[in-house]
């Protein structure tokens, strides 16, 4: 049974609670949704399925918080992947827990480890850089799973970009031995310092997307501008077809159902 609050938004069950109220069951999958991933999921049925199957789906972006207000009159708080990452690091530091980074290049992972030693010396850190390819082979997947399970982390962070990371956790969650499975994408580069996250000023203004667009216009144009207009179109459609989208959310896999098939092993991360 859920121990946290959610709201239906654009056909998805979106987390609206404090992170202290995250479930404490083994292999809890935490994904994020923003305007770009929403648009991708409209065209990618498997990605849509993985988002619906998330145990926790965080509203990562002004596009989702705006949709909640525009369509349903609900005010919800944005929780970005970077917020989730910082929350777990602070929690793990207090108790001397462990985390594992799966994804990114060996150089980025090494920078993460060095920074972790300086900022969170009580956390045991593991990492694995999978091969850079569009589709992983059976051997690739087995090596990643073995690397994670040999480390047995409290929290697994996956950084392979969406939708690859969400699909990977969906396909392999039952084979993993961890507490939380968090797809946080760009956070690997933000924390390593290989890509600068827009400042808190941009974040508080709800304009982090604009900060990233200015820093990387060529790479972010399609994500924020092209899909921004596409997303706006979906919002206007949803305004007219709201009841249908609500029905879609109700028919999606429920967290409560997924929780029943999990092993009820509480992980050690303290809230």
């Amino acid at each position: 049974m859920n121990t946290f609050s959610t709201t239906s938004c654009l056909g998805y069950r979106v987390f609206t609670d404090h992170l202290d109220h995250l479930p404490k069951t083994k292999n809890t999958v935490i994904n994020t949704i923003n305007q770009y991933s929403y648009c991708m999921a409209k065209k990618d049925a498997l990605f849509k399925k993985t988002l619906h199957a998330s145990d926790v789906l965080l509203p990562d972006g002004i596009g989702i918080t705006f949709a909640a207000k525009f369509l349903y009159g609900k005010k919800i708080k944005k929780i970005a992947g970077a917020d989730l990452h910082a929350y777990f690091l602070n929690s793990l530091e207090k108790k001397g827990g462990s985390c594992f980074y799966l994804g990114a290049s060996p150089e980025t992972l090494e920078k993460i480890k060095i920074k972790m030693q300086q900022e969170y010396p009580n956390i045991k850190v593991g990492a694995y850089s999978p091969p850079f390819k569009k589709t992983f082979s059976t051997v690739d997947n087995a090596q990643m799973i073995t690397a994670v399970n040999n480390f047995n982390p409290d929290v697994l962070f996956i950084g392979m970009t969406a939708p690859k990371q969400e699909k990977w956790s969906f396909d392999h969650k039952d084979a993993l031995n961890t507490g939380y499975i968090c797809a946080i994408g760009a956070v690997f580069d933000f924390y390593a310092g290989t890509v600068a996250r827009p400042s808190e000023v941009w974040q508080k203004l709800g304009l982090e997307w604009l900060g990233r667009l200015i820093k990387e216009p060529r790479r972010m144009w399609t994500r924020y501008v092209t899909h921004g207009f596409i997303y706006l179109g979906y919002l206007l459609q949803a305004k007219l077809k709201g009841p249908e989208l609500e029905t879609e959310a109700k028919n999606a896999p429920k967290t409560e159902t997924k929780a029943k098939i999990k092993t009820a092993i509480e992980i050690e991360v303290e809230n």
Side-chain angles (χ1 to χ4, degrees), residues 1-6 15-25 28 55-56 180 255-256 259 266 271:
M1 182 176 179
N2 275 346
T3 58
F4 55 85
S5 301
T6 63
F15 184 85
T16 57
D17 215 322
H18 191 283
L19 292 175
D20 284 346
H21 297 158
L22 288 172
K24 297 179 175 62
T25 46
T28 293
D55 295 301
V56 177
Y180 294 100
T255 303
E256 299 98 305
E266 290 200 350
N271 295 320

Side-chain angles (χ1 to χ4, degrees), residues 66-259:
F66 174 77
K69 183 70 175 178
F70 176 66
L71 297 175
Y72 317 106
K74 297 178 181 178
K75 185 177 181 180
I76 63 174
K77 182 181 178 182
K78 170 190 170 184
I79 305 176
D83 301 323
L84 180 70
H85 180 247
Y87 171 83
F88 274 131
L89 293 191
N90 288 324
S91 177
L92 294 170
E93 174 69 8
K94 291 178 182 176
K95 61 151 301 188
S98 61
C99 66
F100 194 94
Y101 291 84
L102 178 64
S105 67
E107 293 77 17
T108 297
L109 294 178
E110 186 59 28
K111 290 180 179 179
I112 288 175
K113 286 183 176 180
I114 292 173
K115 191 172 180 179
M116 288 285 292
Q117 290 172 355
Q118 298 170 345
E119 297 185 346
Y120 300 98
N122 292 326
I123 300 178
K124 181 183 176 184
V125 184
Y128 183 85
S129 177
F132 186 74
K133 57 172 71 171
K134 186 175 182 180
T135 304
F136 294 126
S137 67
T138 301
V139 173
D140 296 332
N141 290 323
Q143 290 175 338
M144 286 188 275
I145 292 169
T146 298
V148 173
N149 289 348
N150 285 344
F151 194 80
N152 189 22
D154 292 317
V155 181
L156 168 63
F157 295 119
I158 304 177
M160 302 177 187
T161 73
K164 190 175 185 179
Q165 57 193 10
E166 289 84 359
K167 291 179 179 178
W168 194 88
S169 66
F170 178 78
D171 287 340
H172 303 290
K173 64 167 287 186
D174 292 334
L176 294 168
N177 187 19
T178 182
Y180 294 100
I181 303 170
C182 310
I184 57 174
V187 177
F188 279 44
D189 284 319
F190 289 157
Y191 189 71
T194 52
V195 175
R197 187 185 183 195
S199 69
E200 288 190 13
V201 175
W202 290 97
Q203 296 172 36
K204 290 180 179 177
L205 290 173
L207 297 174
E208 184 173 1
W209 64 273
L210 182 58
R212 294 188 68 184
L213 178 63
I214 293 173
K215 288 177 180 293
E216 303 177 86
R218 182 171 298 179
R219 192 166 79 88
M220 294 297 165
W221 183 266
T222 299
R223 173 188 286 259
Y224 291 126
V225 179
T226 304
H227 282 89
F229 283 107
I230 295 173
Y231 181 73
L232 180 60
Y234 286 136
L235 288 189
L236 295 176
Q237 291 178 28
K239 190 71 173 177
L240 299 174
K241 302 178 181 178
E244 294 182 15
L245 289 170
E246 293 291 346
T247 300
E248 183 181 2
K250 290 178 181 177
N251 293 334
K254 295 182 179 179
T255 303
E256 299 98 305
T257 302
K258 292 175 67 61

